[in-house]
Amino acid sequence: MKLIISNGLDVPIYEQIKQQIKAAILSGDLQEGQACPSLRTVAKELRISVLTVSRAYAELEEEGFVKNVQGRGCFVLKRGPELLREQLVCQVEEALLEAIKVARMADLSPEELHHLLDVLLEMKSDE
């Protein structure tokens, strides 16, 4: 798994790592039971502190994506349907918040934004 970080983003490095590993789990690139890259390997490859990687992994464990096994590493947990749905809903929320932000810059009214969403949903249902 190749992780890419950027110092130019407003997103902390640990959060960038967490998001990329979470995306790999949700997409199936990292499967249930598979080991995540070791803390030291990630830290060495990205030239960052092990503590930064450790924080990302700790948050992934808190969110139910991985399990840290002392002395063995972090392993991907089974994605239950509720967890998967919740994570996908979070992604939808983030995308919609970004859409609202851009719509405000374009001076779209809430009604225009709703109409645009309805049109797009209709277009996708025809495919």
Side-chain angles (χ1 to χ4, degrees):
M1 164 171 210
K2 184 72 174 162
L3 297 171
I4 301 168
I5 59 169
S6 172
N7 290 325
L9 297 176
D10 289 337
V11 179
I13 292 172
Y14 77 90
E15 185 68 29
Q16 292 178 48
I17 295 167
K18 184 177 92 170
Q19 289 173 357
Q20 289 178 52
I21 292 174
K22 189 187 297 187
I25 293 170
L26 290 173
S27 71
D29 289 341
L30 283 175
Q31 299 288 320
E32 176 186 349
Q34 188 174 354
C36 296
S38 76
L39 297 174
R40 291 175 197 216
T41 299
V42 173
K44 184 178 178 185
E45 286 179 1
L46 298 177
R47 296 188 175 131
I48 59 173
S49 167
V50 172
L51 293 174
T52 301
V53 182
S54 179
R55 181 170 180 184
Y57 281 22
E59 289 195 10
L60 285 166
E61 185 171 28
E62 286 175 18
E63 294 177 20
F65 284 94
V66 299
K67 176 69 177 159
N68 186 16
V69 179
Q70 189 66 30
R72 296 195 57 222
C74 279
F75 295 87
V76 177
L77 292 174
K78 180 179 180 181
R79 296 175 299 169
E82 303 85 26
L83 177 63
L84 181 58
R85 184 177 191 289
E86 181 61 30
Q87 293 304 316
L88 292 172
V89 168
C90 285
Q91 289 179 10
V92 170
E93 287 174 0
E94 290 172 12
L96 288 174
L97 287 171
E98 182 63 25
I100 290 168
K101 181 177 149 185
V102 174
R104 285 185 177 150
M105 288 190 294
D107 202 28
L108 287 177
S109 71
E111 293 77 19
E112 289 172 310
L113 185 57
H114 281 273
H115 178 71
L116 181 57
L117 180 60
D118 290 338
V119 168
L120 292 172
L121 285 169
E122 184 66 31
M123 286 173 50
K124 282 299 188 182
S125 70
D126 292 342
E127 291 180 358

